[in-house]
Amino acid sequence: MTTIAYKDGVIAYDSRQTRGGAIVSDNAPKCQVVDGVSFFLSGAVCDEKALIAAYFGTPSAVAVECSGYAVDDGKLLMVGHDDKTGIWRQELDPENPDAIGSGSAYALAAMDMGANAEEAVRAAMKRDIYTGGKVVTFRMVG
C-alpha cells in the first residue's frame, strides 16, 4: 500500500509499491494529473485508471480497490469508488490534517505531535513495511 499525508496545504507521499508482502519498487509514481486534477491514490495499482475514469463520469462495471485524494480547482477531496454510483467524493477541511494508506495511523499520530506532512510520512516509514522509498511533496495552490 502506501502512506499519503496532508497538512497545512502540503500532500506528502512515499514512493514504495508492494504486491502482497513483496516490495515491487521504491520509485513508484503516486501522483497522476488528468485534465488538471491531481490524484494521489492508495490501494490496487491496477484499479487507479478505473477510479480516475469514474471521477470524470465513466463508472466501472466491477469493484475498484483504491481510494485517495484529488486536488481539483484548489480543493482537497477524498475520492473512492461506490459500487452503485460509481464515485464518491468528499471535500476535506484544509485546516485538518489527514492521512490515508497502510501507514495512516502512524502519520496521523506524528502530525498530532507536531510533524508536518513530510515528517509524518517519514515516521510511517519507520513502522509500516508497505511505506518506503523516497518522500515526495506536493504543495497545493489556492
Side-chain angles (χ1 to χ4, degrees):
M1 235 186 178
T2 195
T3 301
I4 306 170
Y6 167 82
K7 186 176 181 183
D8 297 332
V10 175
I11 296 171
Y13 53 96
D14 70 302
S15 64
R16 177 164 288 172
Q17 180 182 7
T18 60
R19 186 177 312 117
I23 298 168
V24 174
S25 173
D26 271 339
N27 286 312
K30 302 279 177 89
C31 177
Q32 298 180 51
V33 180
V34 178
D35 292 340
V37 179
S38 298
F39 293 92
F40 305 87
L41 302 177
S42 173
V45 173
C46 60
D47 287 345
E48 291 176 356
K49 288 187 188 317
L51 180 63
I52 292 169
Y55 185 87
F56 291 107
T58 306
S60 175
V62 297
V64 175
E65 298 297 326
C66 72
S67 61
Y69 297 129
V71 178
D72 190 348
D73 197 27
K75 294 178 187 167
L76 178 64
L77 307 167
M78 174 72 74
V79 295
H81 190 263
D82 181 304
D83 293 339
K84 293 182 179 156
T85 63
I87 189 78
W88 60 260
R89 56 184 104 192
Q90 174 184 347
E91 189 169 349
L92 297 177
D93 181 348
E95 300 299 315
N96 288 332
D98 196 59
I100 59 170
S102 55
S104 62
Y106 303 112
L108 285 167
M111 289 187 289
D112 285 347
M113 299 303 294
N116 64 32
E118 180 178 354
E119 293 165 338
V121 173
R122 290 193 189 287
M125 289 169 75
K126 289 182 179 182
R127 297 288 179 201
D128 177 39
I129 62 172
Y130 301 105
T131 300
K134 296 176 252 165
V135 178
V136 181
T137 60
F138 172 88
R139 179 164 295 283
M140 291 179 54
V141 180

